[in-house]
Amino acid sequence: MTDKEYVYQCVLRTYGLDSARFEKICGDLRTNEISISFEENCLDGVITISKNNVDAFALESILGKINVRLEDYIYADKDMDLNECLVKLLTKKGEMLGVAESITGGLISSTLCDVDGASKVLYEGIVTYNNGAKVRRLHVPATTLEEYSAVSKQTCEAMLKGLLANKEIVYGLATTGYANHQDDALSGLVYIGYGSLANFRIEEVMFKGSRNEVRKKACNYAMFRLIKLIDSVERIY
């Protein structure tokens, strides 16, 4: 490499892509001059784009195409983990988050606490693993648990609303599901609630993997969906 040659590198962060899907969507964008790599852990992905002797137009063209193709998956335009991204976004907005966890067993709260400054935005994390805790701590109606079971859209919604009944909390996350189940068809079934009282969603998701891989994917997915809900247009820089 001569003195005038150098490598320009930029990073995008995604959630929800595995390597096979990334290759299907963006594999054709690689050229002899532009290198594009992708790595993921529990669907939390890192796209690294490298180019020798930067041609700004060519690089911007590639970045533009990737952003269009992966708009639904990208959560940050720099190398920033999901927990860092969510804490930064909430800090910027000056709003508090509460977390109600069943299947994830405190994993979301712990992951957020890995970030310096999380105490400014994380109001509380409640692990309601037992049905009794869901009733007493989150005021989930016992009739909801009896009629729909603990792993259901209705229970997840009740968990989220119980959390958001605290007016100091603006945004909430709630999780319930089966990390594994004697019925293989149910293993990996997760319900995730996210948002505010004025704007929340409950999603049914199926994850593949071991017990702890399912839990980690659910943790990552919950943070990702809240990031996209709060900040659907502006990217984190």
Side-chain angles (χ1 to χ4, degrees):
M1 182 178 292
T2 68
D3 292 340
K4 294 183 179 180
E5 292 179 331
Y6 58 96
V7 176
Y8 179 84
Q9 188 176 87
C10 58
V11 173
L12 300 173
R13 295 301 298 264
T14 67
Y15 179 80
L17 289 170
D18 58 20
S19 295
R21 182 149 183 78
F22 174 79
E23 289 300 325
K24 183 176 181 179
I25 298 173
C26 291
D28 65 304
L29 295 177
R30 293 188 182 90
T31 69
N32 291 333
E33 295 181 341
I34 297 178
S35 171
I36 304 174
S37 66
F38 176 77
E39 297 179 355
E40 62 91 10
N41 179 24
C42 290
L43 301 180
D44 188 12
V46 183
I47 303 171
T48 304
I49 307 162
S50 304
K51 188 182 187 307
N52 293 331
N53 293 326
V54 172
D55 175 339
F57 179 78
L59 194 63
E60 286 300 320
S61 177
I62 293 294
L63 281 171
K65 290 177 181 178
I66 292 176
N67 274 288
V68 169
R69 295 184 187 188
L70 300 180
E71 180 181 6
D72 292 339
Y73 300 96
I74 294 172
Y75 67 83
D77 288 320
K78 65 181 295 185
D79 196 8
M80 178 186 297
D81 290 333
L82 282 160
N83 55 349
E84 296 176 89
C85 186
L86 182 53
V87 168
K88 183 170 183 177
L89 179 57
L90 289 168
T91 301
K92 180 180 177 181
K93 296 178 73 64
E95 293 168 335
M96 299 296 283
L97 170 70
V99 184
E101 304 185 61
S102 186
I103 182 175
T104 44
L107 187 57
I108 297 174
S109 300
S110 177
T111 299
L112 289 170
C113 288
D114 287 340
V115 181
D116 185 33
S119 61
K120 296 177 182 178
V121 297
L122 180 59
Y123 183 85
E124 66 179 347
I126 304 174
V127 179
T128 54
Y129 215 69
N130 182 273
N131 283 354
K134 292 179 178 67
V135 173
R136 286 189 289 274
R137 299 297 302 277
L138 297 172
H139 308 292
V140 175
T143 53
T144 297
L145 291 165
E146 292 167 2
E147 183 174 357
Y148 299 104
S149 84
V151 180
S152 64
K153 179 178 180 178
Q154 292 81 2
T155 293
C156 188
E157 182 174 334
M159 290 171 66
L160 183 63
K161 287 181 177 178
L163 185 69
L164 292 171
N166 185 331
K167 301 304 180 183
E168 294 184 78
I169 298 173
V170 176
Y171 293 104
L173 291 171
T175 65
T176 184
Y178 298 115
N180 54 14
H181 194 278
Q182 60 184 8
D183 181 352
D184 289 340
L186 293 178
S187 292
L189 172 64
V190 180
Y191 290 92
I192 295 174
Y194 57 93
S196 64
L197 277 178
N199 183 21
F200 69 86
R201 315 249 175 91
I202 311 296
E203 293 190 17
E204 177 183 302
V205 192
M206 286 295 300
F207 295 115
K208 295 180 180 179
S210 68
R211 177 182 179 83
N212 285 336
E213 285 172 340
V214 168
R215 294 176 62 244
K216 181 61 175 175
K217 287 176 180 178
C219 170
N220 287 345
Y221 187 85
M223 292 188 291
F224 171 71
R225 295 309 299 168
L226 185 57
I227 289 167
K228 298 293 277 189
L229 179 71
I230 295 173
D231 195 13
S232 61
V233 178
E234 181 184 356
R235 293 272 160 76
I236 301 300
Y237 292 89

